[in-house]
Amino acid sequence: MTSMVDNEIDEDATVGVAADLLGLTVRTLHHWDEIGLASPSRRTPAGYRLYTWDDLERLSRVVAYREAGLTLDAIRDVLDDATAEIGDTLREQRAQLAERIHDLRQLDERLERMTTAHERGILMSDDEQREVFGEDWDPQQSRAARFVWGGSKQWAQFAERSASRSPSQWRALSEAMSALQRDLADAVGRGVEPGSEEADGLAERHRELFSNFFPLTRQMQVCLGRMFEADPGFSSYYNGIGDGLAAWFRQSVDESARHHGIDPDTATWE
């Protein structure tokens, strides 16, 4: 180990000089002195503490081992215990460091996925998205949604969940959504009345399923129902699933909200 004090000093060093030589603070040297880790051996006639060359050598070893990640107690054992196996101590430190490196790499991977999810939405290639969501799926949809919703809390929640969602989980969610749409179309075809127990159940099923993307309150669901009916793109999509579904779904969500004490006419996006 190369000493941080390569040449013998001409005279003993004060605390301030020792701190400058080793790149430490005076407060640190005082602390190490107080705990008996590295103390000055001499004093001036006036009582000021002085570090000898040997003291500075010990300090330099403390600094080296501290930079290697050892605790002060471990450093004391290495320096003071003649039976201490320095190699074993350092190997143990390396093993702990390897664990930290592994954890940091995993953290970096999670951060990378979250960063990409905030930018792209769904972390699958275009081909993977079509395989999971069907050939009619347009992969540009999630990327386009970022420009509309990218600054919202809901987009952030969507991205955070998307970052940890696997293709198989996306597939299961897609299949559940398709099953719900089939049941909605069937309900419209059979003339199920909005506000009925069955319609309420379908509205709640939609809210719970949609909450896989971001938490969806009943007031927010009312706002979605309005958009599904009023927006030409959404309206066309839902009416393509079942004739009149867009209006029926909006009415069913409104009635479900009323049953939970919410006035759909004053509902707002939370």
Side-chain angles (χ1 to χ4, degrees):
M1 180 184 304
T2 301
S3 171
M4 298 180 68
V5 184
D6 290 326
N7 299 309
E8 292 193 25
I9 57 178
D10 294 333
E11 57 184 17
D12 297 334
T14 63
V15 175
V17 171
D20 290 340
L21 284 171
L22 295 160
L24 301 170
T25 65
V26 170
R27 183 177 180 179
T28 295
L29 290 183
H30 283 318
H31 175 63
W32 290 355
D33 181 18
E34 289 169 0
I35 65 175
L37 177 62
S39 300
S41 300
R42 298 184 60 194
R43 288 179 181 270
T44 68
Y48 293 108
R49 298 180 179 187
L50 296 173
Y51 288 90
T52 66
W53 187 84
D54 287 339
D55 296 335
L56 293 174
E57 279 291 296
R58 181 179 176 89
L59 281 172
S60 71
R61 295 186 70 196
V62 172
V63 172
Y65 284 121
R66 188 182 68 161
E67 290 178 346
L70 270 66
T71 65
L72 295 182
D73 287 338
I75 295 172
R76 190 200 314 277
D77 291 340
V78 167
L79 299 185
D80 293 343
D81 187 350
T83 64
E85 290 291 338
I86 297 178
D88 290 343
T89 301
L90 295 179
R91 273 190 288 272
E92 180 181 352
Q93 185 65 22
R94 288 192 66 197
Q96 294 175 5
L97 181 61
E99 291 183 7
R100 288 179 58 197
I101 291 172
H102 174 72
D103 292 343
L104 287 172
R105 283 176 175 164
Q106 287 192 320
L107 175 60
D108 181 60
E109 290 174 2
R110 288 196 294 271
L111 288 173
E112 181 182 17
R113 287 182 61 84
M114 288 183 68
T115 300
T116 306
H118 275 276
E119 295 171 350
R120 292 177 44 198
I122 299 175
L123 298 186
M124 291 188 292
S125 68
D126 290 357
D127 289 341
E128 288 175 325
Q129 290 186 48
R130 293 190 187 95
E131 181 182 348
V132 169
F133 303 130
E135 287 300 323
D136 294 335
W137 172 261
D138 181 5
Q140 296 295 330
Q141 287 182 352
S142 65
R143 290 192 280 272
R146 175 177 176 263
F147 291 99
V148 178
W149 307 104
S152 68
K153 178 177 70 175
Q154 286 72 36
W155 177 263
Q157 292 168 326
F158 171 77
E160 289 156 8
R161 297 181 182 199
S162 176
S164 60
R165 186 168 288 145
S166 67
S168 61
Q169 290 172 322
W170 274 116
R171 181 175 289 106
L173 186 55
S174 175
E175 291 172 352
M177 188 65 78
S178 295
L180 172 62
Q181 290 176 353
R182 288 194 296 270
D183 290 345
L184 289 171
D186 177 67
V188 171
R190 289 187 289 107
V192 173
E193 287 292 327
S196 66
E197 183 177 351
E198 182 177 356
D200 280 358
L202 287 169
E204 183 63 15
R205 185 173 151 198
H206 168 270
R207 191 179 69 84
E208 292 177 353
L209 187 57
F210 209 91
S211 290
N212 283 280
F213 303 119
F214 55 81
L216 186 70
T217 66
R218 291 186 173 86
Q219 289 207 37
M220 292 165 68
Q221 188 185 30
V222 168
C223 296
L224 275 185
R226 292 180 197 152
M227 183 175 67
F228 291 167
E229 182 183 32
D231 183 272
F234 281 111
S235 177
S236 175
Y237 174 78
Y238 279 96
N239 289 333
I241 296 172
D243 188 29
L245 177 56
W248 182 91
F249 180 75
R250 194 267 304 163
Q251 294 167 13
S252 295
V253 168
D254 284 358
E255 292 304 318
S256 176
R258 287 191 179 95
H259 293 163
H260 288 87
I262 297 169
D263 180 0
D265 294 333
T266 60
T268 58
W269 189 266
E270 301 173 341

